[in-house]
Amino acid sequence: MCGIVGYIGKKNTKEILLSGLKELEYRGYDSAGIAVLSGDDFSSFKAVGKLINLEEKTKNFTTDSFAIGIGHTRWATHGKPTELNAHPHIGESSYVVHNGIIENYAQIKKELENDGIKFLSQTDTEVIIHLFEKKLKTTTNAFEAFKKTIEDLEGAYAILLVTKNEPKTIFFAKNGSPMLIGINEENEKYFASSDSPLIGQCNKVNYFDDGDYGYVTEDTINVYNSAHKLKKLNLLELSTNKLLAQKDGFRFFMEKEIYEQSSVISDTLMGRLSDDEILFDELDKSFFDDINEIKLCACGTSYHSALTASYMFERYSKIRCSVEVASEFRYRKPLMDKDTLFIVISQSGETADTLETLKMAKEAGLKTLVVCNVDNSSMVRLADACILTRAGIEKGVASTKAFATQVVVFWMLNLYIAKQKKTLSSQEISKQISLLREVPSSVKVKDTTHEKIKRLSKRYLYGHGFFFIGRDVFYPLALEGALKLKEISYLHAEGYPSGEMKHGPIALADPELFTIALLPKNMLYEKAKSNIEELSARDSTICAISATEFDKADDHIMISSYDNYMLEFFEMMVVLQLLSLEISVRLGNDVDMPRNLAKSVTVE
Ligand code: AGP
């Protein structure tokens, strides 16, 4: 998740921008930059890596009079983390910083290149500054040019733009990515992606709405809505708790990350869906030629998304698929054939076991792909190709949005392959693309569901353990639900195929054994139902998660009714995440930093 700051005032603009970016470090980034306009002086600095590198580059730069400035921390989505790809992006006389994804950037870029514009970076953002300067040539003033630029953009954005043509003005636009403006008694103006950089600097803030755009000078703030009507500011008191601000008011980063899955999955999908096909800029069209088998390899939660993907590869892409636990695979002296595509899945891109298996596959001459959340990580640098999940930084040790975005990427990837190999009809592909577009709403947390889970969780604090059971893709989801609970509540839980309970585990059934049963309407409902009835008949305490009431369950968490099992999958995923969260809260555990765990296991 990128971070944006802006400032108009008489203080040391560089220091204000850098300290604002420091407050946004929690959002995760791999490069940063600032641009400062003071009178006729236009300075810009960019650096890869941590902010200390940018501080080093700017140590001899200062401003001691009125100036305007913009700053940015970048989390790579299009293009590697390099200085050229870092923001601000520069035109002939302007700078821009942007958070979000410009969905139609490729088409705009092509038109601008046809006009002879030379692009320096691989980013989508750079099209904004060149489009603005193209419009500047045919409009009466900078604001008109900015307004026309915004009208041409599709996708999610929070934009700050400065130009020598209006050296005392910051132009802004917000749609889909967060941004706010803060003011204080010293007549200073502060912009930021979230309120933590403004705490201590401002006492009132205005959170921009989608479609808002406008311009700010030392004395005026002009905000227009999407209907181009001037609108009044909605000034609110600013909170004073920085950590709470970084958690956006949630109790834990994990809770925040569960709630932001909807917007994050929209980012994952952004620019990759047309009505009848999936677009992966990062893959050559021939990437899957000569591939007859796929082997997936990962650890922990990423292993569960790999298991989920394996059902899709055989169901949609009709490619034989196997899944390996990395720590087992690396010591097994496995057979590896050159027509096998080796895919590693990793949120961090640094997990030692998974990284080693990637090296083994490359040494064996296999084609490799990584599905990862951190650009420029070891696995991204090593694999032949990479698909980024765009989940933004995941601070909770217990993975949530990373898992969700991995599954979304694999669903898209299978439709991409199915189109190429014609293993699904065009109609089926279009239908599934429409379903993909519904995923963000299927993971939106319903207050009633969260409240129900908060109340229900008190019943599941003590017992001799949990079974999470499911069939088909709901089996890896059951594994994931069990892992979430173990990780943050320290209660024992097992994920199990529903159909396997009768082969031994049912001997454990009694009222102290809690079974969380995934009961999708659209996937083997009757089979799963009868497995649960077997447990209920032996007095196991059952919590059913389904779209329909189930009289044999002691508890029931209702989900919405869908016509497709994958939308049930995503809504049940959120229920399982919240259930583990609320049980952990009741047990008084550190949800974000559970005992014995690390966010990235870079050792064996
Ligand atoms: C998931 O909640 C855990 N934090 C852990 O299992 C994690 O998924 C595993 O260590 C793999 O990490 P990676 O995705 O960064 O490779």
Side-chain angles (χ1 to χ4, degrees):
M1 203 84 79
C2 303
I4 282 182
V5 292
Y7 175 71
I8 297 181
K10 299 188 174 66
K11 281 185 185 146
N12 183 330
T13 302
K14 176 195 82 174
E15 290 308 327
I16 295 269
L17 295 175
L18 291 176
S19 56
L21 292 178
K22 260 193 186 322
E23 294 300 335
L24 295 176
E25 283 193 296
Y26 72 92
R27 298 164 72 89
Y29 66 103
D30 38 49
S31 57
I34 63 170
V36 178
L37 204 51
S38 175
D40 292 337
D41 296 333
F42 213 167
S43 310
S44 170
F45 306 86
K46 305 201 273 191
V48 175
K50 293 305 171 199
L51 280 176
I52 192 166
N53 301 335
L54 184 61
E55 286 166 354
E56 179 58 28
K57 283 202 165 185
T58 59
K59 65 184 178 190
N60 299 321
F61 171 74
T62 183
T63 53
D64 52 11
S65 59
F66 174 82
I68 64 174
I70 57 178
H72 186 268
T73 47
R74 178 174 182 253
W75 177 278
T77 54
H78 286 86
K80 295 282 174 211
T82 63
E83 210 168 294
L84 274 181
N85 288 337
H87 304 205
H89 285 285
I90 181 168
E92 290 156 14
S93 59
S94 320
Y95 286 95
V96 69
V97 293
H98 160 237
N99 180 16
I101 292 173
I102 304 299
E103 195 161 357
N104 61 335
Y105 89 96
Q107 166 206 332
I108 298 174
K109 183 168 182 174
K110 195 158 181 294
E111 288 162 14
L112 290 167
E113 286 176 327
N114 291 343
D115 294 344
I117 300 287
K118 292 278 175 277
F119 279 76
L120 298 175
S121 79
Q122 305 161 303
T123 67
D124 54 334
T125 303
E126 194 180 351
V127 301
I128 301 171
I129 202 67
H130 296 312
L131 189 60
F132 168 74
E133 292 194 341
K134 176 181 174 184
K135 301 221 186 254
L136 207 49
K137 294 188 172 80
T138 56
T139 45
T140 49
N141 63 55
F143 179 54
E144 270 313 300
F146 183 72
K147 183 177 159 202
K148 289 183 180 308
T149 301
I150 299 305
E151 285 168 356
D152 284 1
L153 302 181
E154 291 168 17
Y157 49 78
I159 293 169
L160 294 180
L161 183 146
V162 293
T163 176
K164 274 184 179 164
N165 298 274
E166 300 263 350
K168 296 190 173 183
T169 303
I170 292 183
F171 298 94
F172 69 88
K174 186 262 188 230
N175 190 50
S177 296
M179 187 159 66
L180 64 152
I181 186 168
I183 59 175
N184 60 23
E185 280 82 20
E186 296 164 82
N187 199 30
E188 295 173 307
K189 313 290 189 300
Y190 288 74
F191 290 87
S193 307
S194 68
D195 36 25
S196 44
L198 307 189
I199 293 172
Q201 307 291 357
C202 308
N203 44 26
K204 290 199 182 303
V205 292
N206 172 84
Y207 294 85
F208 293 122
D209 298 318
D210 284 351
D212 284 1
Y213 70 97
Y215 61 94
V216 177
T217 64
E218 187 177 9
D219 303 313
T220 66
I221 299 176
N222 308 277
V223 186
Y224 296 83
N225 63 20
S226 50
H228 309 298
K229 295 273 182 291
L230 201 57
K231 58 188 283 192
K232 278 175 65 60
L233 290 182
N234 176 20
L235 288 171
L236 305 170
E237 291 299 320
L238 181 61
S239 71
T240 55
N241 177 332
K242 277 192 185 171
L243 195 57
L244 194 62
Q246 288 184 359
K247 292 174 188 166
D248 283 342
F250 290 101
R251 294 168 294 175
F252 307 101
F253 280 110
M254 180 182 176
E255 186 177 36
K256 175 185 170 215
E257 287 152 8
I258 291 169
Y259 273 74
E260 68 185 9
Q261 287 180 128
S262 180
S263 62
V264 153
I265 287 171
S266 297
D267 281 351
T268 307
L269 296 170
M270 190 75 73
R272 290 166 162 166
L273 303 186
S274 75
D275 290 343
D276 58 3
E277 69 173 327
I278 301 295
L279 310 163
F280 278 124
D281 291 351
E282 45 274 75
L283 295 180
D284 291 334
K285 289 278 184 204
S286 62
F287 189 75
F288 293 93
D289 293 356
D290 313 324
I291 294 296
N292 297 314
E293 180 167 348
I294 286 176
K295 191 170 280 293
L296 305 169
C297 196
C299 300
T301 286
S302 297
Y303 171 71
H304 299 151
S305 66
L307 275 177
T308 306
S310 66
Y311 290 82
M312 298 181 187
F313 280 115
E314 299 208 341
R315 183 169 290 154
Y316 301 143
S317 302
K318 307 290 183 221
I319 299 180
R320 189 177 299 103
C321 183
S322 58
V323 189
E324 305 277 357
V325 170
S327 54
E328 285 297 304
F329 184 77
R330 62 182 288 201
Y331 296 107
R332 213 186 61 216
K333 301 216 180 330
L335 299 177
M336 286 193 266
D337 301 325
K338 289 220 179 8
D339 67 346
T340 298
L341 171 63
F342 197 83
I343 302 179
V344 289
I345 304 93
S346 178
Q347 188 286 130
S348 62
E350 300 298 346
T351 299
D353 286 324
T354 311
L355 180 58
E356 284 312 310
T357 64
L358 177 58
K359 289 175 184 169
M360 288 165 65
K362 285 191 70 77
E363 279 152 28
L366 274 64
K367 188 182 279 188
T368 58
L369 169 67
V370 59
V371 173
C372 188
N373 192 39
V374 180
D375 202 353
N376 220 34
S377 57
S378 302
M379 289 182 219
V380 168
R381 288 198 303 272
L382 191 59
D384 296 318
C386 159
I387 298 177
L388 291 176
T389 48
R390 301 178 183 167
I393 191 167
E394 186 175 66
K395 291 183 78 72
V397 167
S399 188
T400 50
K401 60 180 184 171
F403 172 76
T405 53
Q406 287 168 355
V407 176
V408 168
V409 162
F410 278 117
W411 191 357
M412 287 194 283
L413 185 58
N414 272 278
L415 299 180
Y416 178 88
I417 297 170
K419 174 95 179 174
Q420 283 191 349
K421 296 184 179 291
K422 299 182 174 41
T423 48
L424 289 178
S425 69
S426 305
Q427 294 81 350
E428 179 58 25
I429 290 172
S430 298
K431 181 176 152 243
Q432 294 219 23
I433 288 174
S434 310
L435 291 169
L436 267 167
R437 293 185 197 280
E438 291 179 48
V439 175
S441 57
S442 74
V443 299
K444 258 194 196 348
V445 178
K446 298 178 180 67
D447 290 345
T448 49
T449 303
H450 196 171
E451 274 315 304
K452 168 80 182 268
I453 290 170
K454 272 183 186 158
R455 285 198 314 280
L456 203 59
S457 59
K458 59 178 169 293
R459 296 183 183 167
Y460 293 98
L461 305 180
Y462 310 101
H464 61 66
F466 288 76
F467 272 101
F468 288 68
I469 64 172
R471 281 181 173 263
D472 201 271
V473 292
F474 296 86
Y475 164 47
L477 183 58
L479 290 172
E480 176 57 12
L483 177 61
K484 288 287 88 61
L485 187 69
K486 282 183 277 204
E487 280 191 280
I488 62 177
S489 73
Y490 318 145
L491 298 175
H492 181 67
E494 269 189 77
Y496 231 82
S498 302
E500 273 294 288
M501 292 302 286
K502 54 186 173 298
H503 299 287
I506 202 164
L508 290 168
D510 64 26
E512 299 308 302
L513 177 83
F514 302 139
T515 299
I516 310 298
L518 305 182
L519 193 52
K521 188 171 64 135
N522 299 291
M523 178 56 75
L524 299 169
Y525 177 79
E526 292 305 328
K527 295 284 183 199
K529 187 161 167 276
S530 64
N531 297 146
I532 299 165
E533 284 162 349
E534 290 157 10
L535 283 158
S536 171
R538 289 156 179 85
D539 212 15
S540 176
T541 299
I542 292 163
C543 174
I545 304 175
S546 74
T548 49
E549 287 292 342
F550 180 54
D551 58 358
K552 296 283 190 307
D554 304 275
D555 287 316
H556 182 257
I557 300 172
M558 184 69 81
I559 64 163
S560 312
S561 178
Y562 299 101
D563 295 333
N564 177 273
Y565 70 90
M566 279 310 295
L567 296 179
E568 294 183 284
F569 177 99
F570 283 106
E571 186 165 342
M572 288 188 188
M573 172 195 75
V574 174
V575 168
L576 295 176
Q577 292 166 346
L578 293 172
L579 182 62
S580 57
L581 173 81
E582 294 304 336
I583 290 174
S584 176
V585 169
R586 283 186 180 273
L587 293 171
N589 295 348
D590 181 341
V591 170
D592 284 332
M593 296 288 289
R595 67 186 186 193
N596 311 334
L597 297 183
K599 184 58 188 168
S600 177
V601 183
T602 55
V603 295
E604 281 203 42

